[in-house]
Amino acid sequence: MSPNRRHMILGAAQWWPGGEHITAWRRPDAQPEAFLDLEYYVDWAKTAERGMFDTLFLADELYVWDRFDSGVEYSSNVRPEPFTLLGALAAVTERIGLAATVSTTYNEPYHTARRVASLDFLSKGRAGWNLVTSASDEEARNFGRDRNVDHATRYERGREFVDVVRGLWDSWDDDALVHDKASGRFADPAKLHTLDHRGKHFTVRGPLNIARPPQGHPLLFQAGASEAGRDLAAATADAVFTLTGPVDRLRDFYTDVKRRAAGYGRSPQDIKVLPMLIPVIGATEEEARAKADELYELTPETLALDLLSHYLEMDLTGRGLDEALDFTPDVDATNQSKSVYERVAHIAADRSVTLGEIYRHLFDERVRYGTPEQIADYMQESFESDAADGFLVMAAYLPAGLHEFVDLVVPLLQKRGLFRTQYQESTLRGHLGLERPDSSYSGGTGTVADGPVPTKNTLAETSPLPPQHRTYTSRGAS
């Protein structure tokens, strides 16, 4: 395909180590004994890079899902710390991006800025981070709280968190480190800046003790389909991750996020919308459906009930999947993921459906089964009708699911001119065609991932915080 033609963005995403389906670890070809083995993830990363994917994407949570006994007994609750793992994967990959989740509710901006900047240096400009605000009380109890912070406050804190992290990344000018052995000058003090942030949720002096990252600001992903989530993404994110669904629903989300981004003075092209895609691939549609059915049957009834209990924040223990649900939704009352709650509540609005039918509907809505051609057709329709800029491919089962996608679907996308056949750029921002932002202290010309572009002060233009929370002091001027 032409190097100047817009191409589909693909991320290889992983939530559960065995695949996106919660009990995919039970498949005969699964490797649950290797979930803490580096080589397991090396295979995953190299397979994605062989498929020319833009990035790896490690979702993460800061707790064991033990609200119900089935969560411990039947689901895989072990996973490596993602940035430690990505640091190792940086050494065995060359071009693919490296992104992982950061909870802005249960992390501090200084630690995050340093961790992500370090990965950006070690990978030569391939780092990204996925902002989540954390949705579960289980996480809160690991960080000194009995209950999670309320939804609105979490997103407010998330906005300020981004502003502080980006400000810290600008602590050093790009040319601040002079390394002059003759004079003994390691750095130019006039090119070091103290953030001195004093906001509602954070007080952070700075500066950061690492140079400005190769990408300037490593790529920011953000997941969330609620009003607060969409607004945060539109204001701050480089790419937004959303739930799967019919093309019409994806298009509504795509249009809304791009519109909101324009409201923050951003170009709609500066934010990429990436629905998740959970493929189950067969030689025929019937074979793919049979594979999906086999996957569905691996989930014990008690785990299915407990998952519904978790989503709806109501205890369904002891109920049967053949029972109907008498349920009156209250979206405003939920303090977990409002978008997931709304989807389940929408299905449950039909009082005649059983709990089993609700769970099956959720499964069928999330998993897209079909032939390689059918999967590619759906992706092409979504991409060409302005419903998606690409997809986060979350293989329903690993490791085989990603191998199948790379071997069977990617060649079709390439043949149709929708996806690259070789890497053109060397950084994650370059892969997505995004600018390397200027420092908030700079008045010079910025650069894209791999070339010069017009100046644009991204931090100042996209910051959702009022000016009094953004105080920047040059060390040389003080």
Side-chain angles (χ1 to χ4, degrees):
M1 62 185 291
S2 167
N4 296 320
R5 181 178 175 180
R6 173 176 173 250
H7 71 78
M8 192 179 291
I9 298 164
L10 292 182
Q14 183 182 133
W15 193 324
W16 302 99
E20 178 56 19
H21 187 60
I22 192 169
T23 48
W25 64 268
R26 297 181 63 194
R27 279 174 51 97
D29 58 350
Q31 303 170 26
E33 69 284 353
F35 286 173
L36 297 176
D37 187 334
L38 176 60
E39 292 307 311
Y40 180 81
Y41 298 95
V42 169
D43 174 78
W44 174 68
K46 287 190 171 182
T47 300
E49 191 165 58
R50 175 169 64 84
M52 303 294 163
F53 275 57
D54 294 89
T55 190
L56 303 175
F57 185 101
L58 284 169
D60 190 41
E61 293 173 314
L62 302 172
Y63 70 103
V64 167
W65 189 54
D66 59 357
R67 186 179 304 181
F68 306 98
D69 288 344
S70 66
V72 175
E73 188 170 7
Y74 299 119
S75 60
S76 52
N77 271 292
V78 296
R79 66 187 82 192
E81 192 284 313
F83 281 94
T84 304
L85 175 57
L86 290 178
L89 295 180
V92 296
T93 56
E94 296 180 358
R95 295 292 192 93
I96 196 165
L98 306 161
T101 291
V102 173
S103 168
T104 57
T105 305
Y106 301 114
N107 275 286
E108 290 294 322
Y110 196 97
H111 285 135
T112 299
R114 190 183 188 207
R115 183 183 306 129
V116 180
S118 296
L119 180 62
D120 208 42
F121 274 104
L122 295 176
S123 66
K124 295 181 171 58
R126 294 187 282 139
W129 60 305
N130 171 43
L131 185 159
V132 301
T133 63
S134 292
S136 299
D137 290 343
E138 287 86 349
E139 287 183 272
R141 294 174 189 134
N142 290 328
F143 296 92
R145 301 182 65 91
D146 293 326
R147 291 184 55 80
N148 202 7
V149 179
D150 72 85
H151 190 270
T153 302
R154 296 201 308 268
Y155 277 92
E156 181 183 72
R157 177 185 167 102
R159 286 191 177 213
E160 188 176 339
F161 194 105
V162 172
D163 205 63
V164 176
V165 167
R166 286 176 168 166
L168 288 170
W169 282 334
D170 289 342
S171 295
W172 301 84
D173 290 348
D174 287 323
D175 59 351
L177 305 185
V178 296
H179 307 147
D180 187 340
K181 293 182 180 179
S183 68
R185 296 179 75 241
F186 186 85
D188 183 347
K191 296 181 178 182
L192 174 63
H193 311 283
T194 300
L195 180 64
D196 195 22
H197 175 93
R198 296 180 180 88
K200 181 175 180 179
H201 299 280
F202 303 105
T203 299
V204 182
R205 178 182 180 273
L208 192 65
N209 60 346
I210 189 168
R212 193 161 191 261
Q215 295 184 100
H217 299 162
L219 205 78
L220 173 59
F221 293 85
Q222 205 263 308
S226 67
E227 283 295 307
R230 293 182 188 209
D231 206 47
L232 177 60
T236 65
D238 298 302
V240 58
F241 164 44
T242 187
L243 299 175
T244 189
V247 174
D248 287 347
R249 190 195 305 159
L250 296 184
R251 188 183 298 113
D252 289 343
F253 179 86
Y254 182 99
T255 302
D256 183 56
V257 168
K258 301 274 185 171
R259 175 188 60 79
R260 292 177 193 237
Y264 280 100
R266 305 180 65 192
S267 166
Q269 300 306 313
D270 287 344
I271 182 169
K272 309 301 182 182
V273 177
L274 307 175
M276 71 179 186
L277 175 68
I278 307 174
V280 175
I281 304 168
T284 65
E285 184 176 344
E286 293 72 21
E287 180 183 308
R289 174 70 193 212
K291 289 172 70 173
D293 287 343
E294 291 172 2
L295 199 61
Y296 173 82
E297 293 298 331
L298 293 176
T299 305
E301 178 173 328
T302 181
L303 181 57
L305 284 168
D306 289 345
L307 282 168
L308 291 176
S309 297
H310 181 85
Y311 296 148
L312 295 172
E313 296 183 76
M314 60 186 300
D315 190 357
L316 300 173
T317 302
R319 304 282 292 273
L321 288 177
D322 57 351
E323 294 183 39
L325 177 64
D326 184 11
F327 172 66
T328 302
D330 185 354
V331 175
D332 291 335
T334 183
N335 197 35
Q336 295 186 159
S337 171
K338 290 186 182 291
S339 57
V340 173
Y341 181 93
E342 286 177 336
R343 288 305 306 151
V344 181
H346 176 75
I347 300 165
D350 180 353
R351 300 300 179 89
S352 67
V353 300
T354 65
L355 291 166
E357 289 169 336
I358 294 172
Y359 183 71
R360 181 69 204 216
H361 189 110
L362 286 173
F363 177 86
D364 289 338
E365 189 175 75
R366 287 163 60 85
V367 171
R368 179 158 294 274
Y369 62 86
T371 64
E373 291 77 10
Q374 288 173 322
I375 301 295
D377 288 346
Y378 168 76
M379 297 175 72
Q380 181 171 1
E381 181 185 2
S382 301
F383 181 66
E384 293 183 339
S385 63
D386 289 335
D389 292 308
F391 296 87
L392 287 186
V393 180
M394 308 180 80
Y397 47 87
L398 289 169
L402 184 60
H403 283 270
E404 292 167 357
F405 186 89
V406 167
D407 292 336
L408 301 173
V409 178
V410 167
L412 293 177
L413 299 175
Q414 292 170 329
K415 185 177 180 180
R416 298 179 189 188
L418 299 169
F419 192 58
R420 67 167 70 86
T421 56
Q422 60 183 359
Y423 288 108
Q424 301 292 329
E425 311 290 353
S426 61
T427 69
L428 181 50
R429 281 190 170 273
H431 295 336
L432 272 61
L434 296 173
E435 295 181 4
R436 181 185 190 270
D438 286 323
S439 168
S440 53
Y441 308 95
S442 170
T445 300
T447 58
V448 185
D450 301 327
V453 296
T455 300
K456 182 176 181 181
N457 185 339
T458 302
L459 178 66
E461 291 188 7
T462 64
S463 172
L465 293 176
Q468 63 266 28
H469 293 322
R470 302 197 305 273
T471 302
Y472 306 104
T473 304
S474 168
R475 177 66 60 87
S478 59

